[in-house]
């Protein structure tokens, strides 16, 4: 399968600097969830997925497993208690991208991103991926292997930790001085 480049997506749940254990197969994997906008053209990815299916099960669609898993999933699936997580929208597609090998991560100018805080849940990116079909332990379907990532732009962080300057306002102390001990604060 040849490598294809995804359209622009919003990054969610990135694990591209440190691998995470996959609970289904027990292996350490790098990855992220790609949140595509509703108007994203996914035709290149769909063609790659179909090519992977044909390579695995042949061109005769009657021989394709009917219970195969689709990698293109509606972001609404992530809804909990009637609310979608930040950055998700009903009717838009998400894809899980994973690999046991660490992907390369670069910025808009192709400079390596080395600091984890510079690639975060909420930034915008595109990725090079390979589609593959699988048939393991009764699970059949198509998935995408994450090869490399290019951060395109910053975006509002999706959940997670807030910045301290966003949580607090400056405090003015009486007389302009801070208490000398914590005991002074409670007198």
């Amino acid at each position: 399968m040849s490598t294809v480049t995804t359209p622009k997506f919003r990054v969610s749940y990135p694990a591209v600097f440190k691998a995470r254990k996959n609970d289904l197969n027990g292996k350490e994997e790098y990855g992220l969830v790609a949140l595509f906008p509703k108007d994203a053209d996914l035709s290149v990815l769909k063609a790659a997925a179909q090519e992977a299916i044909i390579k695995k099960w042949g061109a005769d669609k009657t021989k394709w497993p009917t219970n195969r898993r689709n990698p293109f999933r509606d972001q609404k699936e992530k809804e909990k208690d009637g609310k979608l997580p930040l950055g998700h929208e009903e009717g838009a597609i998400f894809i899980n991208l994973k690999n046991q090998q660490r992907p390369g991560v670069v910025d808009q100018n192709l400079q390596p991103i080395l600091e984890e805080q510079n690639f975060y849940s909420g930034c915008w990116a595109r990725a090079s991926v390979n589609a593959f079909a699988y048939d393991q332990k009764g699970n059949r379907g198509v998935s995408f292997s994450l090869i490399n990532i290019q951060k395109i732009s910053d975006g509002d962080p999706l959940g997670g930790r807030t910045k301290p300057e966003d949580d607090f306002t400056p405090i003015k102390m009486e007389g302009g001085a801070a208490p000398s001990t914590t005991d002074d604060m409670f007198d």
Side-chain angles (χ1 to χ4, degrees):
M1 172 70 230
S2 60
T3 300
V4 297
T5 301
T6 69
K8 177 174 117 172
F9 61 83
R10 192 111 184 250
V11 173
S12 187
Y13 304 106
V16 297
F17 295 99
K18 296 177 196 160
R20 279 189 223 150
K21 185 176 181 180
N22 181 325
D23 292 334
L24 297 175
N25 64 20
K27 297 177 182 176
E28 294 287 320
E29 294 178 334
Y30 296 92
L32 57 81
V33 176
L35 302 174
F36 294 98
K38 280 185 182 180
D39 63 349
D41 179 3
L42 303 177
S43 58
V44 170
L45 295 173
K46 289 179 179 181
Q50 182 154 344
E51 184 180 322
I53 290 172
I54 291 169
K55 184 177 177 182
K56 180 81 171 172
W57 291 295
D60 182 356
K61 290 183 178 186
T62 63
K63 295 184 179 178
W64 294 359
T66 56
N67 62 341
R68 68 184 179 280
R69 294 183 181 185
N70 186 346
F72 304 99
R73 298 167 51 195
D74 190 323
Q75 293 176 21
K76 184 170 173 51
E77 285 183 32
K78 297 291 185 179
E79 183 178 81
K80 290 185 182 169
D81 300 324
K83 294 180 89 173
L84 283 171
L86 285 174
H88 290 66
E89 59 180 322
E90 186 175 341
I93 300 297
F94 78 91
I95 299 176
N96 292 309
L97 305 174
K98 301 185 253 183
N99 200 326
Q100 291 177 12
Q101 296 178 2
R102 184 175 178 217
V105 183
V106 297
D107 65 14
Q108 304 91 324
N109 298 313
L110 306 181
Q111 297 302 307
I113 296 177
L114 304 174
E115 300 294 325
E116 199 168 340
Q117 69 268 15
N118 293 327
F119 190 84
Y120 54 91
S121 188
C123 71
W124 291 87
R126 62 186 185 157
S128 57
V129 298
N130 288 331
F132 65 94
Y134 59 89
D135 186 352
Q136 298 175 353
K137 300 179 184 176
N139 292 316
R140 296 179 181 105
V142 176
S143 192
F144 287 91
S145 181
L146 177 62
I147 308 300
N148 291 303
I149 308 161
Q150 181 181 31
K151 179 181 173 184
I152 295 173
S153 64
D154 287 310
D156 292 330
L158 301 178
R161 183 170 231 152
T162 58
K163 296 182 212 172
E165 57 270 23
D166 292 339
D167 289 349
F168 304 109
T169 57
I171 298 175
K172 294 186 181 194
M173 302 300 289
E174 279 188 42
S180 59
T181 68
T182 55
D183 291 339
D184 293 344
M185 290 175 55
F186 300 104
D187 287 337

